[in-house]
Amino acid sequence: MIALHQRSNDYARFLPAVNGNFSRFTRRSATSLRRPMPAGLAPSQLDFLNPSGLFHYPWALYTAAEGVNDKTPTMISDRARNHSFVLGDSGGFSLISGAVKEAMSDFRERSLRWIEKNCDVGLPVDIPTRAIDVQPNVWNFDRCLHTTLDNTDFSASNAATHVRLLAVYQGRNHKEARRWIEGMRTRRLWGLAIGGHTRLDFWFWVSEIKKYIDAGYFDHIRHIHVLGTTEPGVAVMLTALKRALRGYLKCEDFEITFDSSRAYRVAQAYGQVTTGLKLGIRGNSGAPDAFDFRSFKFPQFGAQVDRSSYFPFASPIGNLCTVGDLMPGASPADPAFDEIGSNLLSHHETYMELAAIEQANLLCDMDQKTGSLVPWHVQEGVRAIHNYFKSGDIIHLNDRKHYLQHYNNNDIDDRDLNH
């Protein structure tokens, strides 16, 4: 059994955003499956939260949009709480996208009760500012913010005393994010969950977090979660932020987490898997496009492949399987992956993402002065984060704005959008 978490207590924690298919599959009996699992495995061995699984990683995220409707045991509801950590996402976007079909007042209550019972930390039901683009005739900025504030106040007032909640921050641009902070800042919950278009803007959030700590609004926080990202470069920058904040807040158990559903959404829908951490060197440092995932895409429909050959990529599950164990579909009219194959692929992908993220953090910690494989924007971003919390030098931070905003992907539009 491989324990991926043992070297990473000082790193920002990646939370695989497990979907319902995978979570429920781990509790299936072998006799209920349409075909046998490979290598004599049982579905329960895919449960990475369990120390007896094929690999052990005791951190995950699960959404209330799935959890409140689970009628049978899952790897989330059936876990050993002393061996694992689960962050409960609110399911807010599922609510506004139509995937959750019930009244807001009913869902926020059920979401909170599910978080109390099944999660270690949870989010009150938020309305992401993406809702403005999805349903422009229903949502505007003010309604997103005020509904989220109301739901946050409801959860804070009605949660059991042991529940730890994170206040959710949204915004499509800096102006909206600042307005959201001003509205939410007095809600003194366990920490922050950062979403919206600004979530990967380290220049913006480093300065805002320090400003509001110094002003006495964020000085209590013990956890920050960044919603919906899995880039290894982001992981390294978040590790720098976690270490800097542990020192600045004088809190050694301060935590930063981040999540992605890539291993379940992309792998199961498109047959795409990670093959490792993309590396490359240009001059004396990692290439600008390094610290991404190298990937491979399997056929989505039945194809002429050698099903008797070994699975081509190494992992705890991949080392036990043939191609046919994952891709039994032979007809071009049939999906290449069945239920078993899709969940095996997700297990493989989860391991590969975790391994690549760990490798990126290790390479950064090596701090090679010559021939470093760490991209220059990551090196400079890490140094800028630590320097700002040590010195408060805003000029130094601003001079490195380009590096700190590398992972925005031009996602922020600071025009005066419709509010």
Side-chain angles (χ1 to χ4, degrees):
M1 185 272 295
I2 299 171
L4 278 176
H5 63 289
Q6 290 180 344
R7 290 189 297 187
S8 61
N9 287 332
D10 199 30
Y11 298 157
R13 304 279 192 178
F14 175 53
L15 308 184
V18 180
N19 70 359
N21 290 336
F22 186 87
S23 184
R24 291 186 287 270
F25 182 82
T26 64
R27 293 302 181 266
R28 294 276 299 276
S29 66
T31 56
S32 71
L33 303 178
R34 293 187 176 183
R35 63 181 177 93
M37 291 273 285
L41 293 172
S44 60
Q45 290 175 271
L46 302 187
D47 179 1
F48 55 82
L49 295 178
N50 191 323
S52 64
L54 284 176
F55 75 85
H56 181 213
Y57 183 77
W59 299 75
L61 177 142
Y62 201 59
T63 176
E66 299 261 21
V68 297
N69 294 315
D70 283 333
K71 305 301 183 186
T72 58
T74 68
M75 64 181 280
I76 305 302
S77 66
D78 197 31
R79 67 191 173 97
R81 296 290 289 266
N82 58 328
H83 289 302
S84 59
F85 172 96
V86 170
L87 190 148
D89 187 21
S90 71
F93 190 75
S94 297
L95 184 67
I96 61 96
S97 68
V100 173
K101 302 182 186 301
E102 60 182 287
M104 176 83 68
S105 58
D106 294 334
F107 181 70
R108 71 180 187 180
E109 169 82 22
R110 293 214 298 148
S111 176
L112 178 61
R113 300 307 165 216
W114 174 79
I115 286 169
E116 288 176 342
K117 182 178 179 181
N118 295 284
C119 304
D120 300 280
V121 173
L123 311 185
V125 174
D126 65 302
I127 303 300
T129 42
R130 280 195 299 163
I132 303 167
D133 302 317
V134 174
Q135 296 179 329
N137 295 325
V138 177
W139 296 100
N140 58 32
F141 176 82
D142 287 333
R143 189 178 181 201
C144 289
L145 173 58
H146 293 151
T147 303
T148 301
L149 292 176
D150 182 58
N151 290 342
T152 302
D153 292 340
F154 168 83
S155 295
S157 298
N158 291 279
T161 55
H162 71 279
V163 173
R164 294 173 172 178
L165 298 172
L166 306 182
V168 185
Y169 289 75
Q170 295 281 346
R172 294 173 294 169
N173 54 50
H174 293 146
K175 181 177 180 179
E176 289 187 349
R178 287 190 176 101
R179 286 183 59 194
W180 198 287
I181 294 170
E182 284 296 303
M184 185 68 78
R185 63 182 179 171
T186 57
R187 275 72 177 178
R188 293 178 66 85
L189 304 185
W190 186 247
L192 322 176
I194 302 173
H197 292 60
T198 70
R199 70 191 186 283
L200 305 184
D201 185 342
F202 286 90
W203 171 80
F204 176 80
W205 279 104
V206 165
S207 59
E208 291 297 302
I209 288 168
K210 183 178 183 299
K211 178 172 75 175
Y212 283 95
I213 289 173
D214 295 344
Y217 292 104
F218 290 175
D219 57 326
H220 68 285
I221 61 172
R222 292 297 176 263
H223 192 139
I224 292 176
H225 181 75
V226 178
L227 289 155
T229 183
T230 187
E231 291 94 335
V234 170
V236 172
M237 305 269 272
L238 288 173
T239 290
L241 182 59
K242 173 177 171 176
R243 292 170 175 174
L245 282 170
R246 280 188 168 184
Y248 198 68
L249 292 168
K250 296 179 173 54
C251 179
E252 283 304 310
D253 62 351
F254 177 85
E255 191 58 77
I256 289 185
T257 54
F258 58 107
D259 78 274
S260 172
S261 61
R262 175 189 174 111
Y264 308 91
R265 176 176 49 82
V266 176
Q268 293 187 3
Y270 305 108
Q272 180 175 309
V273 294
T274 294
T275 60
L277 180 66
K278 183 178 181 181
L279 297 172
I281 195 164
R282 185 176 300 174
N284 193 36
S285 71
D289 61 346
F291 270 28
D292 198 354
F293 293 125
R294 289 184 288 112
S295 62
F296 176 86
K297 193 172 183 180
F298 288 99
Q300 290 183 257
F301 293 93
Q304 296 301 311
V305 296
D306 183 0
R307 291 178 180 77
S308 64
S309 64
Y310 290 112
F311 188 73
F313 306 117
S315 71
I317 191 66
N319 294 340
L320 301 175
C321 293
T322 65
V323 171
D325 288 330
L326 280 84
M327 302 174 63
S331 168
D334 296 329
F337 295 89
D338 61 359
E339 178 190 34
I340 292 175
S342 291
N343 285 298
L344 294 176
L345 196 69
S346 286
H347 186 272
H348 166 81
E349 175 64 12
T350 302
Y351 177 85
M352 294 302 295
E353 290 177 19
L354 289 165
I357 288 168
E358 182 179 64
Q359 184 184 5
N361 274 297
L362 288 168
L363 285 170
C364 191
D365 277 349
M366 289 172 65
D367 195 23
Q368 292 175 293
K369 305 302 183 186
T370 302
S372 173
L373 288 169
V374 181
W376 184 248
H377 66 267
V378 173
Q379 295 182 48
E380 280 294 282
V382 167
R383 285 191 281 264
I385 291 168
H386 282 291
N387 180 75
Y388 189 58
F389 281 100
K390 287 179 180 177
S391 70
D393 186 351
I394 191 65
I395 295 175
H396 182 275
L397 188 79
N398 288 342
D399 284 347
R400 285 146 184 83
K401 179 178 180 180
H402 173 70
Y403 302 119
L404 291 162
Q405 292 186 326
H406 179 86
Y407 292 102
N408 286 353
N409 298 318
N410 298 314
D411 209 16
I412 298 173
D413 183 355
D414 266 339
R415 291 174 298 176
D416 188 11
L417 300 181
N418 177 30
H419 293 166

